[in-house]
Amino acid sequence: MAADHTVRDADIAPVAALIADPTRAAILTALLGGRALAAGELARLAGVSAATASAHLARLLDGGFVTVVRQGRHRYYRLSGPEVAEVLEVLARVSARPPVRSLRQSRQARLLEEARTCYDHLAGKAGVALLEALRGSGCLAGEEVTAEGERLLAGIGVHVAGARATRRRFAPECLDWTERRPHLGGALGAAVTAVLLERGWFRQGAAPRALTLTDEGRSELAALFPSHVTAPWSKELTWQSPVT
Amino acid sequence: MAADHTVRDADIAPVAALIADPTRAAILTALLGGRALAAGELARLAGVSAATASAHLARLLDGGFVTVVRQGRHRYYRLSGPEVAEVLEVLARVSARPPVRSLRQSRQARLLEEARTCYDHLAGKAGVALLEALRGSGCLAGEEVTAEGERLLAGIGVHVAGARATRRRFAPECLDWTERRPHLGGALGAAVTAVLLERGWFRQGAAPRALTLTDEGRSELAALFPSHVTAPWSKELTWQSPVT
DNA sequence: CTATTGCTTCGTCCGGCGGCGAAGGATGGG
DNA sequence: CCCATCCTTCGCCGCCGGACGAAGCAATAG
């Protein structure tokens, strides 16, 4: 998930290396159930000697992937936190990637490409188009809202000052997964998106996180950004959702 | 994010191994910008010879991490899709894990532990408690809603038949990140959560995805599940959000 | 105290992976 | 047609890291 911040140049290689070993991967997936397991049990599950398992557990411990609790002669290991579980789950999802997607899956994927939420702000083609429209119409310069933009956003009910007052970063660009181009994130992105949903310009779609542009939203947005002809709401393209 | 399905026993090790090499990691992060880059450029960026880079790119290609486009003498590589970018971003996030969290971060983390959305259904302590309450009061048996449950859910406005009619899995358990115990996912989980929000029993919280239990929600839920004393809405505990 | 069990540490072996230079296609310019 | 450029394939070397058995600690049982 592309968060508001750009991806830091963290060394992902050593972290990935912790998971890259089949034995450690087996240990980690065994722990993914959430329960704490004894070292011996993990050795058995992974199919290695106690010595080998111990070495692996030491590395996982050092890497912060697991924590250990001593209880009598036993040492119970468990995943150190939900972030670790998340990494494993995301990894498992791409590992299990089916060679060819089912019709339904590709349909949902296309739905998500059109418009979806990224945490709490608009993403997908629509999200990217929105940011471009805001920039193109002079509403947004850098990370700041212009006087022009202040007027336009107030007109549809966005409380810009309120968004600026939060501690959250105001209007960062957020790299879009599917478009690989930025959309509007941060406090402003969330505020704008909230308005888009309140006014019924977008509706919750069929798939989780999917949004669909309503007819009303299409015409209102087209009126709001008349010069932005490449957006999903443009009339020039007699745009139709490509999802059939 | 823990999705509706349980994590398949996919071989995550070989996938992780693709990222585990520093040179490949450098190549991948360079491609994370979304642009397609030529093999030579990637070699330069990663600081290795063309031969070495070529070998790595071949492996990434074989693993489905990147795709290649030939254009004249050049071969442009790019990430094969958003899933790959997601893996890298999640990995980067745990790699950059600060040893000690800032006050604000830990506060937000605790907020998220209480109640949050997982895609479109309730998660966190509240989500786990909800599932336990449903099971404990005989509303849910296995993956099916009992007659009892049908009555209770209809009473608060959940359209159970509607949820059952979708193609989405009906009422799967979804392993909770923070609690490491299941909460209610699937179509039913989404339907119930929608009602909880509509009725104002939960409100959108400060952090993205965070939810807070309202006073009204607390009393209504306590009335709905009188026997479930360990839940966040239980009066017996004079429960207060531990977030100060 | 001694025996047993559970886990870690130590010493050692070996396979595999990453690195490079040189040679071998492929493409485009002149 | 020849050369320059870009990339891949080949062959070789060095070394890291994962495997095990044996020995060393810790803790409980009797």
Side-chain angles (χ1 to χ4, degrees), chain A residues 8-21 24-25 28 56 58-66 84 87-88 91, chain B residues 13 15-29 87-88 90-97:
Chain A
R8 311 244 288 281
D9 283 48
D11 278 353
I12 62 177
V15 180
L18 279 178
I19 319 175
D21 177 76
R24 280 194 296 271
L28 289 171
H56 285 303
R59 290 195 57 179
L60 291 173
L61 200 58
D62 185 56
F65 269 45
V66 301
V84 179
V87 173
L88 297 174
L91 224 33
Chain B
V15 180
L18 280 179
I19 319 176
D21 177 77
T23 303
R24 280 195 296 271
I27 289 175
L28 290 171
T29 42
V87 174
L88 297 175
V90 170
L91 224 33
R93 214 175 318 148
V94 299
S95 308
R97 177 172 31 191

Coordinates of all heavy atoms in Angstrom, one line a residue, chain A residues 8-21 24-25 28 56 58-66 84 87-88 91, chain B residues 13 15-29 87-88 90-97, chain C residues 18, chain D residues 16-18:
Chain A
R8 N 10.9 5.1 2.1 CA 12.3 5.4 2.6 C 13.3 4.4 2.0 O 13.0 3.3 1.6 CB 12.4 5.3 4.1 CG 11.2 6.1 4.8 CD 11.7 7.2 5.6 NE 12.4 6.7 6.8 CZ 11.8 6.3 7.9 NH1 10.5 6.3 7.9 NH2 12.5 5.9 8.9
D9 N 14.5 4.9 1.9 CA 15.6 4.0 1.3 C 16.1 3.1 2.4 O 17.2 3.1 2.8 CB 16.7 4.9 0.8 CG 16.3 5.5 -0.5 OD1 15.2 6.0 -0.6 OD2 17.1 5.4 -1.5
A10 N 15.2 2.3 3.0 CA 15.6 1.4 4.0 C 16.2 0.2 3.3 O 15.8 -0.2 2.2 CB 14.3 1.0 4.8
D11 N 17.1 -0.5 4.0 CA 17.7 -1.7 3.5 C 16.7 -2.8 3.6 O 16.5 -3.4 4.6 CB 18.9 -2.1 4.3 CG 20.1 -1.3 3.8 OD1 20.0 -0.6 2.8 OD2 21.2 -1.4 4.4
I12 N 16.0 -3.1 2.5 CA 15.0 -4.1 2.6 C 15.7 -5.5 2.4 O 15.1 -6.5 2.8 CB 13.9 -3.9 1.5 CG1 14.5 -4.0 0.1 CG2 13.2 -2.7 1.8 CD1 13.4 -3.8 -0.9
A13 N 16.9 -5.5 1.8 CA 17.5 -6.8 1.5 C 17.7 -7.7 2.7 O 17.3 -8.8 2.7 CB 18.8 -6.6 0.7
P14 N 18.3 -7.1 3.8 CA 18.6 -8.0 5.0 C 17.3 -8.5 5.6 O 17.2 -9.6 6.1 CB 19.3 -7.1 5.9 CG 19.3 -5.7 5.3 CD 19.0 -5.8 3.9
V15 N 16.2 -7.7 5.5 CA 15.0 -8.1 6.1 C 14.4 -9.3 5.2 O 13.9 -10.3 5.7 CB 14.0 -7.0 6.1 CG1 12.6 -7.4 6.7 CG2 14.5 -5.8 7.0
A16 N 14.5 -9.1 3.9 CA 14.0 -10.1 3.0 C 14.8 -11.4 3.2 O 14.2 -12.5 3.1 CB 14.0 -9.6 1.6
A17 N 16.1 -11.2 3.5 CA 16.9 -12.4 3.6 C 16.5 -13.2 4.8 O 16.6 -14.5 4.8 CB 18.4 -11.9 3.8
L18 N 15.9 -12.6 5.8 CA 15.4 -13.3 7.0 C 14.3 -14.3 6.5 O 14.2 -15.4 7.1 CB 14.9 -12.4 8.0 CG 16.0 -11.8 8.9 CD1 15.3 -10.8 9.9 CD2 16.8 -12.9 9.7
I19 N 13.6 -13.9 5.6 CA 12.4 -14.7 5.1 C 12.8 -15.6 4.0 O 12.2 -16.6 3.7 CB 11.3 -13.8 4.7 CG1 11.1 -12.6 5.6 CG2 10.0 -14.6 4.6 CD1 10.1 -11.6 5.2
A20 N 14.0 -15.3 3.4 CA 14.3 -16.0 2.2 C 14.8 -17.5 2.4 O 14.8 -18.3 1.4 CB 15.5 -15.3 1.5
D21 N 15.1 -17.8 3.6 CA 15.5 -19.2 3.8 C 14.3 -20.1 4.0 O 13.4 -19.7 4.8 CB 16.4 -19.3 5.0 CG 16.8 -20.7 5.4 OD1 17.6 -21.2 4.6 OD2 16.2 -21.3 6.3
R24 N 13.5 -20.9 7.7 CA 13.0 -19.8 8.5 C 11.6 -19.4 8.0 O 10.7 -19.1 8.8 CB 13.9 -18.5 8.3 CG 15.1 -18.6 9.2 CD 15.8 -17.2 9.3 NE 16.3 -16.8 8.0 CZ 17.5 -17.0 7.6 NH1 18.3 -17.7 8.3 NH2 17.9 -16.6 6.4
A25 N 11.3 -19.6 6.7 CA 10.0 -19.3 6.2 C 9.0 -20.2 6.8 O 7.9 -19.9 7.2 CB 10.0 -19.4 4.7
L28 N 8.3 -19.1 10.4 CA 7.5 -17.9 10.4 C 6.0 -18.2 10.1 O 5.1 -17.8 10.7 CB 8.1 -16.9 9.5 CG 9.4 -16.2 9.9 CD1 10.0 -15.4 8.8 CD2 9.2 -15.4 11.2
H56 N 18.5 -20.5 13.6 CA 17.5 -19.7 12.8 C 16.7 -18.7 13.7 O 16.5 -17.6 13.4 CB 16.6 -20.6 12.0 CG 17.2 -21.2 10.8 ND1 17.8 -20.4 9.8 CD2 17.4 -22.4 10.4 CE1 18.3 -21.2 8.9 NE2 18.0 -22.5 9.2
A58 N 17.6 -17.6 16.5 CA 18.5 -16.5 17.0 C 18.5 -15.4 16.0 O 18.5 -14.2 16.3 CB 19.9 -17.1 17.3
R59 N 18.6 -15.8 14.7 CA 18.7 -14.7 13.7 C 17.3 -14.0 13.6 O 17.3 -12.8 13.4 CB 19.0 -15.3 12.3 CG 20.4 -15.8 12.3 CD 20.9 -16.1 10.9 NE 20.7 -14.9 10.0 CZ 21.1 -14.9 8.7 NH1 21.6 -16.0 8.2 NH2 20.9 -13.8 8.0
L60 N 16.2 -14.7 13.7 CA 14.9 -14.0 13.6 C 14.8 -13.1 14.8 O 14.2 -12.0 14.7 CB 13.8 -15.1 13.6 CG 13.7 -15.9 12.3 CD1 12.7 -17.0 12.5 CD2 13.4 -15.0 11.2
L61 N 15.3 -13.5 16.0 CA 15.2 -12.7 17.2 C 16.0 -11.5 17.0 O 15.6 -10.4 17.3 CB 15.8 -13.6 18.4 CG 15.4 -13.1 19.8 CD1 13.9 -13.1 19.9 CD2 16.1 -14.1 20.8
D62 N 17.2 -11.6 16.5 CA 18.1 -10.5 16.2 C 17.5 -9.5 15.3 O 17.6 -8.3 15.4 CB 19.4 -11.0 15.7 CG 20.4 -9.8 15.6 OD1 20.7 -9.2 16.6 OD2 21.0 -9.6 14.5
G63 N 16.8 -10.0 14.3 CA 16.2 -9.2 13.3 C 14.8 -8.6 13.7 O 14.2 -7.8 13.0
G64 N 14.4 -8.9 14.9 CA 13.2 -8.3 15.5 C 11.9 -9.0 14.9 O 10.9 -8.4 15.1
F65 N 12.1 -10.1 14.3 CA 10.9 -10.8 13.8 C 10.1 -11.5 14.8 O 8.9 -11.7 14.7 CB 11.3 -11.7 12.6 CG 11.3 -11.1 11.3 CD1 11.8 -9.8 11.1 CD2 10.7 -11.7 10.2 CE1 11.8 -9.2 9.9 CE2 10.7 -11.1 9.0 CZ 11.3 -9.9 8.8
V66 N 10.8 -12.0 15.8 CA 10.1 -12.8 16.8 C 10.6 -12.4 18.2 O 11.6 -11.7 18.3 CB 10.4 -14.3 16.7 CG1 10.0 -14.9 15.3 CG2 11.9 -14.6 16.9
V84 N 5.0 -7.7 11.2 CA 5.7 -8.9 10.7 C 4.7 -9.8 10.0 O 4.9 -10.3 8.9 CB 6.4 -9.7 11.8 CG1 7.1 -10.9 11.3 CG2 7.4 -8.8 12.5
V87 N 3.9 -8.5 6.6 CA 4.9 -8.8 5.6 C 4.7 -10.2 5.0 O 4.6 -10.4 3.8 CB 6.3 -8.6 6.1 CG1 7.3 -9.1 5.1 CG2 6.6 -7.2 6.5
L88 N 4.5 -11.1 5.9 CA 4.4 -12.5 5.5 C 3.1 -12.7 4.6 O 3.1 -13.4 3.6 CB 4.3 -13.4 6.7 CG 5.6 -13.4 7.6 CD1 5.4 -14.2 8.8 CD2 6.8 -13.9 6.8
L91 N 3.6 -11.2 1.2 CA 4.5 -12.0 0.5 C 3.8 -13.3 0.0 O 4.0 -13.7 -1.1 CB 5.7 -12.4 1.4 CG 7.1 -12.3 0.8 CD1 7.3 -11.2 -0.2 CD2 8.0 -12.1 2.0
Chain B
A13 N 9.5 -18.3 0.6 CA 11.0 -18.2 0.6 C 11.6 -17.8 -0.7 O 12.4 -16.9 -0.8 CB 11.6 -19.5 1.1
V15 N 10.4 -16.3 -3.2 CA 10.0 -14.9 -3.5 C 10.8 -13.9 -2.7 O 11.3 -13.0 -3.2 CB 8.5 -14.7 -3.3 CG1 8.1 -13.3 -3.6 CG2 7.7 -15.7 -4.1
A16 N 10.9 -14.2 -1.4 CA 11.7 -13.4 -0.6 C 13.2 -13.4 -1.0 O 13.8 -12.3 -0.9 CB 11.6 -13.8 0.9
A17 N 13.6 -14.5 -1.5 CA 15.0 -14.6 -1.9 C 15.3 -13.7 -3.1 O 16.4 -13.2 -3.2 CB 15.3 -16.1 -2.3
L18 N 14.3 -13.4 -3.9 CA 14.5 -12.5 -5.0 C 14.8 -11.1 -4.5 O 15.5 -10.4 -5.2 CB 13.2 -12.5 -5.9 CG 13.1 -13.6 -6.9 CD1 11.8 -13.5 -7.6 CD2 14.2 -13.7 -7.8
I19 N 14.3 -10.8 -3.4 CA 14.5 -9.4 -2.8 C 15.7 -9.4 -1.9 O 16.2 -8.3 -1.6 CB 13.2 -9.0 -2.1 CG1 12.0 -9.4 -2.9 CG2 13.2 -7.5 -1.8 CD1 10.7 -9.0 -2.2
A20 N 16.1 -10.6 -1.4 CA 17.1 -10.6 -0.4 C 18.5 -10.2 -0.8 O 19.3 -9.9 0.0 CB 17.1 -12.1 0.2
D21 N 18.7 -10.2 -2.1 CA 20.0 -9.8 -2.5 C 20.1 -8.3 -2.6 O 19.2 -7.7 -3.2 CB 20.3 -10.4 -3.9 CG 21.7 -10.0 -4.4 OD1 22.7 -10.5 -3.9 OD2 21.7 -9.1 -5.3
P22 N 21.2 -7.7 -2.1 CA 21.3 -6.2 -2.1 C 21.2 -5.6 -3.5 O 20.6 -4.6 -3.7 CB 22.7 -6.0 -1.5 CG 23.0 -7.2 -0.7 CD 22.3 -8.3 -1.4
T23 N 21.9 -6.3 -4.4 CA 21.8 -5.7 -5.8 C 20.4 -5.8 -6.4 O 20.0 -4.8 -7.0 CB 22.8 -6.5 -6.7 OG1 24.1 -6.5 -6.1 CG2 22.8 -6.0 -8.1
R24 N 19.8 -6.9 -6.2 CA 18.4 -7.0 -6.7 C 17.5 -6.0 -6.0 O 16.6 -5.4 -6.6 CB 17.8 -8.4 -6.6 CG 18.3 -9.3 -7.7 CD 17.5 -10.6 -7.7 NE 17.6 -11.4 -6.5 CZ 18.6 -12.3 -6.3 NH1 19.4 -12.6 -7.3 NH2 18.6 -13.0 -5.2
A25 N 17.7 -5.8 -4.7 CA 16.9 -4.9 -3.9 C 17.1 -3.5 -4.5 O 16.1 -2.7 -4.6 CB 17.3 -5.0 -2.5
A26 N 18.4 -3.2 -4.8 CA 18.6 -1.8 -5.4 C 17.9 -1.6 -6.7 O 17.3 -0.6 -7.0 CB 20.1 -1.6 -5.5
I27 N 18.0 -2.7 -7.5 CA 17.3 -2.6 -8.8 C 15.8 -2.4 -8.6 O 15.2 -1.6 -9.3 CB 17.5 -3.9 -9.6 CG1 19.0 -4.0 -10.1 CG2 16.6 -4.0 -10.8 CD1 19.4 -5.2 -10.8
L28 N 15.2 -3.2 -7.7 CA 13.8 -3.1 -7.5 C 13.4 -1.7 -7.0 O 12.4 -1.1 -7.4 CB 13.3 -4.2 -6.5 CG 13.4 -5.6 -7.1 CD1 13.2 -6.7 -6.1 CD2 12.4 -5.8 -8.3
T29 N 14.1 -1.2 -6.0 CA 13.7 0.1 -5.5 C 13.9 1.2 -6.5 O 13.2 2.1 -6.5 CB 14.6 0.4 -4.2 OG1 15.9 0.1 -4.4 CG2 14.1 -0.3 -3.0
V87 N 4.6 -5.3 -2.1 CA 5.6 -6.1 -1.3 C 6.8 -5.2 -0.9 O 7.2 -5.2 0.3 CB 6.0 -7.3 -2.1 CG1 7.1 -8.0 -1.3 CG2 4.9 -8.2 -2.4
L88 N 7.3 -4.5 -1.8 CA 8.5 -3.7 -1.5 C 8.2 -2.6 -0.5 O 9.0 -2.4 0.4 CB 9.0 -3.1 -2.8 CG 9.5 -4.1 -3.9 CD1 9.9 -3.4 -5.2 CD2 10.7 -4.9 -3.4
V90 N 5.8 -2.6 1.8 CA 5.6 -3.2 3.1 C 6.9 -3.6 3.7 O 7.1 -3.3 4.9 CB 4.6 -4.4 3.0 CG1 4.6 -5.2 4.3 CG2 3.2 -4.0 2.6
L91 N 7.7 -4.2 2.9 CA 9.1 -4.6 3.4 C 9.9 -3.4 3.8 O 10.5 -3.4 4.9 CB 9.8 -5.3 2.3 CG 10.5 -6.6 2.6 CD1 9.9 -7.4 3.7 CD2 10.6 -7.4 1.3
A92 N 9.8 -2.3 3.1 CA 10.5 -1.1 3.4 C 10.0 -0.5 4.8 O 10.8 0.0 5.6 CB 10.3 0.0 2.4
R93 N 8.7 -0.7 5.0 CA 8.2 -0.2 6.2 C 8.7 -0.9 7.5 O 9.0 -0.3 8.5 CB 6.6 -0.2 6.2 CG 6.0 1.0 6.9 CD 4.5 0.9 6.7 NE 4.1 0.6 5.4 CZ 3.0 -0.1 5.1 NH1 2.2 -0.5 6.0 NH2 2.7 -0.3 3.8
V94 N 8.8 -2.2 7.4 CA 9.3 -2.9 8.6 C 10.8 -2.8 8.7 O 11.3 -2.8 9.8 CB 8.9 -4.4 8.6 CG1 7.4 -4.6 8.6 CG2 9.6 -5.1 7.4
S95 N 11.4 -2.6 7.5 CA 12.9 -2.4 7.6 C 13.2 -1.1 8.3 O 14.2 -1.0 9.1 CB 13.5 -2.3 6.2 OG 13.1 -3.4 5.4
A96 N 12.4 -0.1 8.1 CA 12.7 1.2 8.6 C 12.1 1.4 10.0 O 12.0 2.4 10.5 CB 12.1 2.3 7.7
R97 N 11.7 0.2 10.6 CA 11.0 0.3 11.9 C 11.9 1.0 12.9 O 13.0 0.5 13.2 CB 10.8 -1.2 12.3 CG 10.2 -1.3 13.7 CD 9.8 -2.7 14.0 NE 10.6 -3.6 13.2 CZ 10.4 -4.9 13.1 NH1 9.3 -5.4 13.6 NH2 11.2 -5.7 12.5
Chain C
dG18 P 22.4 -14.7 -5.9 OP1 21.3 -14.0 -5.3 OP2 22.3 -15.3 -7.2 O5' 23.7 -13.8 -5.9 C5' 24.2 -13.3 -4.6 C4' 25.5 -12.7 -4.9 O4' 26.5 -13.8 -5.3 C3' 25.5 -11.7 -6.1 O3' 26.3 -10.6 -5.7 C2' 26.2 -12.5 -7.2 C1' 27.1 -13.4 -6.5 N9 27.4 -14.7 -7.2 C8 26.5 -15.5 -7.8 N7 27.0 -16.5 -8.4 C5 28.4 -16.4 -8.1 C6 29.4 -17.3 -8.4 O6 29.4 -18.3 -9.1 N1 30.6 -16.8 -7.9 C2 30.8 -15.7 -7.2 N2 32.0 -15.4 -6.8 N3 29.8 -14.9 -6.8 C4 28.6 -15.3 -7.3
Chain D
dC16 P 32.6 -14.2 3.5 OP1 33.3 -12.9 3.4 OP2 33.0 -15.2 4.5 O5' 31.0 -13.9 3.7 C5' 30.2 -13.6 2.6 C4' 29.0 -14.5 2.6 O4' 29.4 -15.8 2.0 C3' 28.4 -14.8 4.0 O3' 27.0 -14.7 3.9 C2' 28.8 -16.3 4.2 C1' 28.9 -16.8 2.8 N1 29.7 -18.0 2.6 C2 29.2 -19.1 1.9 O2 28.0 -19.1 1.5 N3 30.0 -20.2 1.8 C4 31.2 -20.2 2.2 N4 32.0 -21.3 2.0 C5 31.8 -19.1 2.9 C6 31.0 -18.0 3.1
dG17 P 26.2 -14.5 5.2 OP1 25.5 -13.3 5.0 OP2 27.1 -14.8 6.4 O5' 25.1 -15.7 5.2 C5' 24.6 -16.2 4.0 C4' 24.2 -17.7 4.2 O4' 25.3 -18.5 4.0 C3' 23.7 -18.0 5.6 O3' 22.7 -19.0 5.5 C2' 24.9 -18.5 6.3 C1' 25.5 -19.3 5.2 N9 26.9 -19.7 5.3 C8 27.8 -19.0 6.0 N7 29.0 -19.5 6.0 C5 28.8 -20.7 5.3 C6 29.7 -21.7 4.9 O6 30.9 -21.8 5.2 N1 29.1 -22.7 4.2 C2 27.8 -22.7 3.8 N2 27.3 -23.8 3.1 N3 26.9 -21.8 4.1 C4 27.5 -20.8 4.9
dG18 P 21.3 -18.9 6.1 OP1 20.5 -18.1 5.2 OP2 21.5 -18.5 7.5 O5' 20.8 -20.4 6.1 C5' 20.8 -21.1 4.8 C4' 21.2 -22.5 5.0 O4' 22.7 -22.6 5.2 C3' 20.6 -23.1 6.3 O3' 20.1 -24.4 6.0 C2' 21.8 -23.3 7.3 C1' 23.0 -23.5 6.3 N9 24.3 -23.1 6.8 C8 24.6 -22.0 7.6 N7 25.8 -21.9 7.9 C5 26.4 -23.0 7.4 C6 27.7 -23.5 7.4 O6 28.7 -23.0 8.0 N1 27.9 -24.7 6.8 C2 26.8 -25.4 6.1 N2 27.2 -26.5 5.5 N3 25.6 -25.0 6.1 C4 25.4 -23.8 6.7

